[in-house]
Amino acid sequence: MRLPRFDYLEPANLEEALDLLATHGDDAKILAGGTDLLVRMKKGLLKPKNLISLKALNELSYIKEDDGYIKIGARTPLADIIASELIQNKARALFQACEEIGAITIQHYRGTIGGNILQDNRCQHYNQSNFHRSGRQACHKDGGKICYARDEGDRCYSTCQSDGATALMSLGAQITLAKKGDERTVDLADFYTTDGIMPFAMESHELLKKIAIPVHGPMQGAKSAYKRLAYRSAIDYPIVCAGVLLKPSDTQKNEIDEARIVVGSMSRSPLFLAQESSSLKGKKLDDTDAFKKAADASMNSAATFAVHNVGSTLEYRCAMVSEMVFQALKESAQAAIAAKG
Ligand SMILES: Cc1cc2nc3c(=O)[nH]c(=O)nc-3n(C[C@H](O)[C@H](O)[C@H](O)COP(=O)(O)OP(=O)(O)OC[C@H]3O[C@@H](n4cnc5c(N)ncnc54)[C@H](O)[C@@H]3O)c2cc1C
Ligand code: SF4
């Protein structure tokens, strides 16, 4: 498989990158680590005329605590996130998620956190070679009018399998998108569309600049955990995953003040399960019956979104949602109890 022809553009700084995006937006893609983008280009799934490289943009590579947030530049390598004591201590779900990302040598040293969030949704019927796809009718994502993953599917149901996005959503992260002369900040939970062809609510001339995770104020003392299941842990994408955050009460010992349950690899975006999360408010940190009920309810909610397109059976993946959520809840509760002493 060979890469199609493209022009390689290497801006020296963010301003130049935004200028290039303003000029070439519809005909360009940002190149960060390239571990998702170049694979798709080799498979003929994408043929951008221009690649705008972030290679020289060191200003987008940092991790720091500032103004009540952990701030992470979009071009920060996954390896830096794994090595960061700040992330290990205050955003553990993200540390665990990045550590689990498959194909260590490629992902950890080339992959970036921005590319991880913005990697394209996947589907076993679509993420195949040109040769494989040429033997059958094109599906919606390939420019056709059918979907192999869902009978009568009127749109694309390809699945978001980003470990990082699932963990970050459970941490209540916000992202900042920049374009020439302007920028905006949105909750990661509000960043997704309902169409797997264009899964992100983002314009072609926008660039992901930074990620911010709240760690002070109402989030002070919150503990998080991340669990995932893959065929082969060393290389595979998750077939189901869950990120969880528990914030203990400041006044009531051992009581949960706020919970966030997010399930990944089950839909077109990570699923923030608001009802299941709020069912844990006021529950004790050692109430495993409440955790089990919330985990089973999460499984039922996630099952309504999932389609059979990332391997394994749908029944197995749904059953494992409950297990991943339950394990993550128990782990974050134990961390919260240990921190309270
Ligand atoms: C064998 C293999 C196994 C993998 N396993 C996993 C896994 O287990 N879990 C997982 O989550 N991922 C996995 N991946 C996917 C991917 O490699 C990682 O998610 C990686 O972090 C992507 O980062 P990157 O910098 O290489 O992204 P790139 O490939 O450079 O970019 C990905 C997409 O994001 C866009 N983009 C990147 N940065 C920006 C920015 N700042 N602003 C705007 N657009 C941007 C690009 O244009 C592109 O469309 C795997 C990939 C392979 C090939
Ligand atoms: S979910 Fe359907 S339309 Fe989308 S990539 Fe898969 S087969 Fe194609």
Side-chain angles (χ1 to χ4, degrees):
M1 285 186 284
R2 302 178 73 168
L3 278 172
R5 292 185 68 82
F6 59 87
D7 284 339
Y8 177 79
L9 309 171
E10 197 178 301
N13 52 44
L14 181 60
E15 204 184 330
E16 273 185 37
L18 297 181
D19 276 345
L20 287 170
L21 267 179
T23 310
H24 300 291
D26 291 337
D27 291 328
K29 289 300 281 182
I30 296 282
L31 176 68
T35 60
D36 169 64
L37 181 65
L38 298 180
V39 176
R40 283 190 282 141
M41 287 172 65
K42 279 189 175 177
K43 286 187 170 164
L45 301 172
L46 199 66
K47 288 181 191 145
K49 284 192 190 148
N50 306 284
L51 291 190
I52 302 174
S53 172
L54 300 185
K55 193 172 169 188
L57 271 66
N58 291 330
E59 63 201 285
L60 293 187
S61 181
Y62 58 84
I63 302 170
K64 61 184 179 193
E65 191 168 355
D66 175 32
D67 206 17
Y69 290 85
I70 295 176
K71 296 182 178 168
I72 309 173
R75 209 214 66 182
T76 304
L78 298 171
D80 290 9
I81 291 179
I82 295 164
S84 160
E85 283 187 21
L86 186 60
I87 304 273
Q88 288 173 24
N89 293 330
K90 294 196 177 175
R92 193 142 186 95
L94 180 61
F95 162 72
Q96 291 174 321
C98 291
E99 208 187 29
E100 296 265 357
I101 287 169
I104 290 175
T105 44
I106 309 169
Q107 309 317 325
H108 290 185
Y109 297 103
R110 288 212 65 88
T112 64
I113 189 64
N116 187 270
I117 296 171
L118 294 173
Q119 66 179 289
D120 194 21
N121 285 9
R122 296 174 55 82
C123 170
Q124 65 193 14
H125 305 286
Y126 172 77
N127 290 83
Q128 302 288 349
S129 65
N130 256 337
F131 177 71
H132 178 107
R133 292 183 348 267
S134 67
R136 60 198 303 184
Q137 220 181 320
C139 70
H140 292 298
K141 197 161 182 167
D142 235 351
K145 291 194 165 58
I146 56 166
C147 174
Y148 292 104
R150 179 173 260 188
D151 289 342
E152 314 282 319
D154 60 338
R155 65 181 81 172
C156 174
Y157 293 87
S158 57
T159 300
C160 172
Q161 289 181 280
S162 165
D163 284 295
T166 304
L168 283 165
M169 199 183 283
S170 72
L171 293 164
Q174 299 172 339
I175 56 172
T176 299
L177 300 154
K179 65 180 176 186
K180 194 174 173 178
D182 198 12
E183 64 179 46
R184 64 187 174 111
T185 297
V186 292
D187 283 346
L188 183 60
D190 297 331
F191 178 56
Y192 295 89
T193 69
T194 55
D195 188 349
I197 297 176
M198 293 280 282
F200 310 113
M202 177 178 189
E203 293 166 27
S204 59
H205 49 281
E206 282 183 316
L207 174 146
L208 175 57
K209 188 176 164 191
K210 70 170 183 235
I211 300 128
I213 304 168
V215 285
H216 283 295
M219 282 301 139
Q220 179 100 35
K223 296 290 174 192
S224 62
Y226 181 81
K227 298 284 167 194
R228 55 109 84 173
L229 196 67
Y231 282 118
R232 298 161 299 175
S233 56
I235 190 158
D236 277 328
Y237 290 82
I239 53 171
V240 51
C241 56
V244 152
L245 174 137
L246 291 180
K247 161 80 176 75
S249 163
D250 294 329
T251 50
Q252 300 296 315
K253 197 168 161 39
N254 280 353
E255 203 170 285
I256 296 168
D257 201 32
E258 188 183 336
R260 287 180 67 88
I261 300 174
V262 175
V263 169
S265 290
M266 291 296 282
S267 182
R268 288 156 284 184
S269 69
L271 299 166
F272 168 51
L273 301 173
Q275 222 175 315
E276 293 75 3
S277 301
S278 58
S279 75
L280 292 172
K281 189 176 169 64
K283 297 283 191 288
K284 297 280 180 235
L285 280 165
D286 57 1
D287 187 347
T288 47
D289 287 344
F291 294 169
K292 185 77 184 92
K293 267 193 202 150
D296 286 347
S298 302
M299 170 183 70
N300 292 333
S301 293
T304 61
F305 291 92
V307 296
H308 179 26
N309 65 353
V310 298
S312 187
T313 63
L314 207 45
E315 292 73 18
Y316 179 68
R317 281 168 59 217
C318 290
M320 287 301 107
V321 168
S322 174
E323 192 55 28
M324 295 300 109
V325 172
F326 183 61
Q327 295 298 339
L329 283 171
K330 273 203 313 191
E331 189 173 309
S332 41
Q334 275 158 11
I337 291 168
K340 285 215 153 202

